[in-house]
Structure formats: C-alpha cells, structure tokens
Amino acid sequence: MEEVAEGLWGLADHHEKKGEIGKAVKCLEAICQSQVSFLPIVEVKTRLRIATLLLKHSHNVNHAKSHLERSQLLLKSIPSCFELKCRAHSLLSQCYHLVGAIPSQKQILNKGLALAASSGEGFSAKLWYCNFSSQLANALIIEGDYQGSISALEGGLDCASAIFYPELQGPDKRAISSIVAVHRTVTLDSLVFSPVKVVCNMYVPNFRLRLVDQMFFATSILHVHLMQWDDVNLVEGAVNKCNEVWESIQPDKRQQCIGLLFYNELLHIFYLLRICNYKDAAQHVETLDAAMKADMQQTQHVQELTKELNALNLSLSRSDLQYKERSALSKKQAQLEEQLNNITGHSSAGKESLEPAYFGNVKRAWGDKLELAPPPIDGEWLPKSAVYALVELMVVIFGRPKGLFKECGKRIQSGLQTIQDELVKLGISDGVREVDLQHSAIWMAGVYLMLLMHFLENKVAVELTQSEFVEAQEALVQMRNWFIRFPTILQACESVIEMLRGQYAHSVGSYIEAAFHFVEAGKLTQSKSMQAMCQIYAAVSYICLGGPESSAQALDLIGPVYQMMDSFVGVREKTTVLFANGFLLMRQQNLQEARWSVHQLESNVPPFLFLIGRQLDCRVRLATGLQITHSHLGNLQLVSQYLTILGNLALALHDTGQAREILRSALTLSKKLYDVPTQIWVLTNLTALYQQLGEKGSEMENDEYLSKKRADLQDRLQDACSSIHHIEIIDKSRIQVHQLHELDVKRAMASASMRVNLDIPESVGISASAPAPSSRLMDLDIGRRGKRKI
C-alpha cells in the first residue's frame, strides 16, 4: 500500500505545483477515506500534508485542525517519529491561534515543550524547543501576560544560546550526520514538512548562523518590553542585549538576515521615539530606508532571473532541440539556478514542500516574506509589505515635523497603495464589513487596517499644518468610514479620530467644538500620555476663546499635567504643557483689573512690577520648552509658535532688537511649513514692532503682506465651511456605529464561508479567485496633494 500512497502523494504534489489545490487535497483525502487501512505513519504524514495545504491556501482552519488532532491520536501509538510529533504540535498550535482558542494553544505548546525537553534528539530537540517557546510567548501576549511571555522568550534564548558552538562537536555532530544520511535514502518524507532536513541542508554547513536564533529571541524580548514598558531600565537592558547579539554576528552574515535587520531597526526606532530621542532615531530610519530600497532592487532582480529561467525551461521542454542547442541551454539553466541560489540562499528544488505555514493564511513566495529565524522556529513578525509600509511611515513621521511635505506625500501615496493591494487580496472591498471577514483573516486584516489609519492620521496632520482644510476633511471622513465598517478591529482608533476632529475644529476657529472633541478623545483612551496631550490641546482651545472663564477652564486642564510632567517617558508632554502654560500666562495679562488686584494683594508687589515678573516667568518657561522642542523633537511648527510667543513677550518688555530677530525666525519657519495661521500671527506682531519703532515704511509693507495672507486664509476657511463634511466633523457628538450581536457575527462568518462551491465537502474554504479592486480604496489618491501621516 505504500506504493499507492506514494502515487497519490506525487499526484497531489503535481496538482499543487499547477495551483489546483482542490484536486491536491482530494488526492490526499482519498488515502484518509480509504476502506483499506494504511500504516499509521502514512496516514499521519498525509493528514499533516492536508492540514498544511489548507492552512496555506484556504481559510478552513477547523478542517485543518481536525486532521491535526487525528494525527495527534495516531502519533500516540508510535514510539518514535519525534519530528512528525513536533510538526503536528506546531501546526495544531497555529490552528488554535487562528481560531482564537488560546487556552488550547497553550496546552498543546506546553506538551510540545515537554516533548522537546525529554527527547534525546539533541540539536533537533533544542530547535523545536525554541519553536514552541516562541509560539507560547505569542499566545501569552494575547492574554496580556507580559511577564509570562518574557519568561518563555528567555527560556528560548537560553536554549538558542546552548545550541551555539564555535565548532560542531560530539554527539550532536554524529546525530546530524546520521540525519543527513537518512535524508539521502528516505523518499516518503519528501512530501511532508521536515524541519530537520531544512536545518541539515541550509544551516549545518555554517553552524554559526544559529546566532540568528539568539537575535530572534533578543528582539522578541525587546518587543514585549516595549509593549509593557514597566521599567525604563528593563527596556534599556533589552535594547543593549539586542545590540550585543547583533554586533556578535559578522557584518556579511547580517546582510543575509534581512528580516532581523528590519525588525531590530524598527524596534530601536520605537524605543527612541518613546524617549523622544529623534536625533538618534533618524539614523535608524535612514538605515531602514536604504535596506528597503536595496531589498526591493534584489527582489526585482530575482523576479527577472526567475522569468528568464522559466522561459529557458520552456525552451528545454521542446522535443526538436539539437544536442548542441540543448547543451547550451542546459548550461545557461545551471548558471541561472546558481545565481538564484546565491541570492535566495536555497535551492528552488523541493523548496515548496519545505515552506512553513505563514501568518494570515496567505501563501507568500520567497520575495514576499521576511524571516526572522530559520526553521523550525519559522519566525516571522509581519509580511514584507507591512514592514515596507512601516518603513514608509517612519520616513513620514520624521519628515513631517521638518516640513519635508513633498517627500512625505510620496511616501504616504506609496504606503497607501501597498496597503490597498493587500486589503484587496484579503477580500476587503466596497461594502465588506468586519462581520464578513473569515475569522482566520481578521488578524492580518487588522494589521493593514491599522496601518491605513496611521497613514490617514498623518495625512490629516500634514494637511492641517498647511491649512489645506478640505483635504484634511476628506482624510478624516475616510478614517470615520473605515471605523464604522470595522469598529471592533479599529476600536483603538476612535480616540485618535476624536483628537483629529478636535484639531480640525481648532484649525478652522471652532474652539468650543475643538475642546469638546479633545476632552472626548481623552475619555476614550487608557493611555496616560494620550490623555495628557488631549488635556493640553483642549486647554489651548479654551485659551484661544479668551475671557476669564475659559482661562480658568484651561488652567484646570493644564495644572494636573504640569504637576506630573516629569513623570512621563520622554519630553513630548513636558514641552507641550510648557507651551500651553506660557501661552496662558501671556493671555492672562488681558484679564480684568479686578483679577489682577487679587494677584497684587497675594504677591504684595506694585502692579507694574508684578506684570513684569509674570512676563519673565512666562518667558523662562517658554524658553525652556523651546529648548527642549528644538533639541529633542525637532518639530518646526511648535518651534515657530514658541518663537512667536517669545517675540510677543519681548515686545511687551520693549526689547525690540530681540523681538525683531525672534519674529523673523518664526516667520521663516512658518513659511517653510506653509503654516498660514502662524504666519498671520507673526506678521501681526511684526506690525506692532514696526509701530513701536516708528518704521512707517516697513509697517505698510508688512500690513500689505498681512492682508494677502488673511485673504488667503479666509478663502480656505470659506471652502472648508461650505463643504458637506464640515458640520459633521465639528459636531459635538461621538461617531455612532452599529454593533452586531455575537450571534450575528457568527452567522455572517458562516454564510461567508459557504460561498465557495467545491466538489470536496470536507474542504470547504479553499480560496476563490481574488475579488475586484475596491473603488473606495482606489479613491485614496493623494498624489495631487502630496501629503499624509499615520
């Protein structure tokens, strides 16, 4: 019967290579459904193969799970087969993960860890221990058990460190040699995943590459610390550990670990952004950008070589070729295969059957993935397209505060296009809502939808900076529509949308509405940092309203943040609260004399001296905030606004020389940012300066320029206010979404899974052809505007 199994396996392999997955599954299920019994190991290998096909090519996770659970029962009666048992544990864990059965996933992973720990398989057992540790850490993260996740990852790191030897010696060397010998003689395993063969073929010749495993766990530990951020010293220690391991890998080997390079650099950027070290972070962004461009060029080169090789193979299949011609083509074929092997690091022969299952049930070719660790760890953080989008996003985040809007626009457009393509692959088109998604596709859909919202958020910020209010409206409406369609997946974005509504309302002068949305945004988030920023934004809106009552409301919002400003990680909250506080102190000079008399009595100083002291206190705080903003954040808009207030204070103190210098610098920066409101603010102060100096000619010239800017801003505001979206954006109400009941969600998912009509009842869920592109996504055309953000 083994000959029958081999024949059906070979036929299934043939169908899979042709892309006929349904037929491949049907061939394999013929073995499982046969009335004639096969050997248990044959059935196990067949079921593993079916499960792998289903996971890679369909959303039918439950059917894959049933095959794997049956394999587990069969394997209990087989004393050996360590590799098959580990593979079954790993794949079953992935199934439980995709269906959200985290307790079952943890249970099977703990069994896998016990199996690997008690096995005498040496090197192979350690690799599988690393695999199970990695998956267990991910499962614990989902449950919010950060410490447990770190413990699992530290166990994997210790195991990976134990694997590494300068030279392969002793029993491990003999064990590997015997495995290689078995691999040369056994053919039945060729149609089943075998991580040991991958290790033998790819990693035994250079055992030092196992340092990659250590780096994988070091970066994963850093990632968890960044998510939890309990102790800044622990986070810094994790960063240093990553640097230590990364430096121990030879430079030429680092270039081969492109996935780890991206992962490590992005984690470093996230860390440096959190502590507001923008200067050092910018270097990592440049490294990432260069690596992305180089990888894109290499991927394109591989595609060209593959295309040429396929054409060559087609020519070689002709039966009328002369010997000399066939010989030349065969030589060329060998050269092309060698070039591809040198670039991709593996031979194309047999590779398809050795690929692990990937996140999101989307089969990805070599050029579409960024592996973090070699098999059997099967490490992968995000698909390459998502990582590329993140890199584009980092470029935008660092370019926007500097006013590099043209480059930001290109990156925003590129990132949105990448995300659009991936959403279409996941079947997210017009009218599709989160209840229509397959359960196994929700995680990957969430990744791209969150990236989409980040890009649109940055787009709104760029547009508002340049007073492009209508463009900002469009991006905000898109964010609202996406949130309404995917309210559960994008739940964390609601507070961001409310904050952006507040920023839009503030930009168009609707300060009461702006304060409302900022306060609501603070209520919708658990982040202390986000809450503090929303309070500061609301305070600034109240200050702009003017009057003693609004100033009192602003002070109530600023006070708590000001008192705890040094407790935040980084200086973002500190520099903004210093700005708001200084702004408030400056505005309070216009309060009624009765208000000032109270302060005079309390301070027991003459009114004029009290006013001067108040201005000096304001100046010191603003100067401190300006220095922090310039040194750490590099936000030119905030710098220009700081300078404008300081110029105004210099005027109040009759320091006209310093006022002129400060205000000219503020005007230069606001022009670079196309920030019309700030330009008007600066020009108004310059008019007062020229009046104080008696420079009539400069005053008239400045007034003329000021009039043009005011007219320009008025036209922009009129366009914005006449838009159909203006009222709904500033309206003092939250976004209303229709929350479906759990039963409705399950019913929607069930009906979606039944749309595929196949002749294999057991295998419903094989992916159908790709849907048509979404017109809603296609409408995200920002090329003509050239701006955006995350």
Side-chain angles (χ1 to χ4, degrees), residues 640 643 659-670 682:
S640 67
L643 289 173
R660 185 195 298 269
E661 183 180 344
I662 291 174
L663 290 172
R664 282 180 174 176
S665 297
L667 184 61
T668 300
L669 289 177
S670 59
V682 177

Side-chain angles (χ1 to χ4, degrees), residues 50-278:
I50 294 171
T52 302
L53 285 171
L54 292 172
L55 287 174
K56 290 174 64 176
H57 299 283
S58 83
H59 291 287
N60 199 349
V61 182
N62 285 320
H63 188 48
K65 180 167 69 72
S66 66
H67 276 292
L68 292 167
E69 288 171 341
R70 175 60 181 167
S71 298
Q72 289 276 60
L73 291 174
L74 292 170
L75 285 167
K76 286 183 179 180
S77 63
I78 305 177
S80 56
C81 296
F82 173 76
E83 293 296 332
L84 286 178
K85 289 179 180 179
C86 288
R87 187 63 191 176
H89 278 74
S90 181
L91 286 174
L92 189 53
S93 165
Q94 292 181 44
C95 287
Y96 287 142
H97 171 79
L98 289 170
V99 299
I102 304 304
S104 298
Q105 183 187 17
K106 291 195 299 181
Q107 184 179 33
I108 197 68
L109 288 172
N110 283 318
K111 288 181 180 179
L113 286 169
L115 174 65
S118 61
S119 170
E121 297 292 328
F123 174 71
S124 178
K126 288 184 172 65
L127 291 179
W128 278 113
Y129 191 92
C130 290
N131 173 295
F132 298 136
S133 297
S134 172
Q135 292 196 61
L136 180 60
N138 188 52
L140 292 168
I141 278 291
I142 294 173
E143 292 187 330
D145 186 357
Y146 294 105
Q147 193 52 52
S149 178
I150 290 174
S151 297
L153 291 170
E154 287 176 342
L157 178 59
D158 291 341
C159 187
S161 301
I163 294 175
F164 173 68
Y165 299 101
E167 298 294 338
L168 189 59
Q169 298 176 358
D172 280 329
K173 182 177 181 179
R174 290 192 296 273
I176 297 254
S177 300
S178 64
I179 292 173
V180 174
V182 170
H183 169 57
R184 293 195 185 107
T185 56
V186 176
T187 58
L188 286 179
D189 287 344
S190 62
L191 295 176
V192 182
F193 287 110
S194 178
V196 169
K197 288 191 290 185
V198 180
V199 171
C200 294
N201 292 340
M202 297 173 62
Y203 295 99
V204 172
N206 191 344
F207 204 55
R208 292 179 184 273
L209 278 179
R210 301 318 305 187
L211 275 170
V212 173
D213 297 343
Q214 295 181 45
M215 189 62 191
F216 166 73
F217 284 106
T219 48
S220 298
I221 291 172
L222 171 58
H223 199 165
V224 178
H225 276 300
L226 289 173
M227 294 169 66
Q228 183 185 26
W229 202 284
D230 241 3
D231 186 337
V232 67
N233 294 321
L234 290 176
V235 182
E236 186 178 357
V239 171
N240 293 334
K241 179 63 177 179
C242 284
N243 292 335
E244 175 189 335
V245 179
W246 188 246
E247 290 299 322
S248 67
I249 302 176
Q250 297 175 4
D252 60 322
K253 296 294 187 294
R254 290 181 213 158
Q255 299 305 315
Q256 300 174 20
C257 308
I258 186 68
L260 276 176
L261 185 145
F262 278 100
Y263 192 32
N264 184 44
E265 292 293 328
L266 281 168
L267 291 177
H268 274 68
I269 291 172
F270 299 157
Y271 166 72
L272 293 169
L273 281 175
R274 187 74 176 272
I275 64 174
C276 296
N277 188 345
Y278 278 66

Side-chain angles (χ1 to χ4, degrees), residues 485-497:
R485 290 170 60 192
F486 300 90
T488 306
I489 294 175
L490 298 177
Q491 184 177 7
C493 296
E494 187 176 7
S495 63
V496 175
I497 295 173

Side-chain angles (χ1 to χ4, degrees), residues 17 19-20 65 87 121 130 159 174 243 246 300 312 338 360 368 390 411-412 489 567 617 657 693:
K17 288 178 179 178
E20 299 172 340
K65 180 167 69 72
R87 187 63 191 176
E121 297 292 328
C130 290
C159 187
R174 290 192 296 273
N243 292 335
W246 188 246
Q300 184 178 0
L312 198 61
E338 185 178 0
D368 297 326
L390 265 176
R411 299 307 183 112
I412 289 172
I489 294 175
S567 67
D617 181 42
L693 293 172

Side-chain angles (χ1 to χ4, degrees), residues 347-397:
S347 171
S348 59
K351 176 61 181 174
E352 196 69 17
S353 63
L354 296 175
E355 288 179 333
Y358 298 119
F359 284 125
N361 285 351
V362 178
K363 180 185 175 184
R364 296 195 289 276
W366 170 84
D368 297 326
K369 64 189 179 191
L370 289 170
E371 289 183 346
L372 301 181
I377 296 179
D378 294 349
E380 186 183 18
W381 174 37
L382 293 173
K384 182 180 286 189
S385 58
V387 173
Y388 276 5
L390 265 176
V391 175
E392 303 272 25
L393 181 61
M394 294 301 107
V395 174
V396 172
I397 287 175

Side-chain angles (χ1 to χ4, degrees), residues 265 268-269 272 277-291 398 402:
E265 292 293 328
H268 274 68
I269 291 172
L272 293 169
N277 188 345
Y278 278 66
K279 183 178 180 180
D280 289 345
Q283 300 174 6
H284 290 277
V285 173
E286 292 174 1
T287 300
L288 267 182
D289 196 30
F398 281 86
K402 299 175 182 178

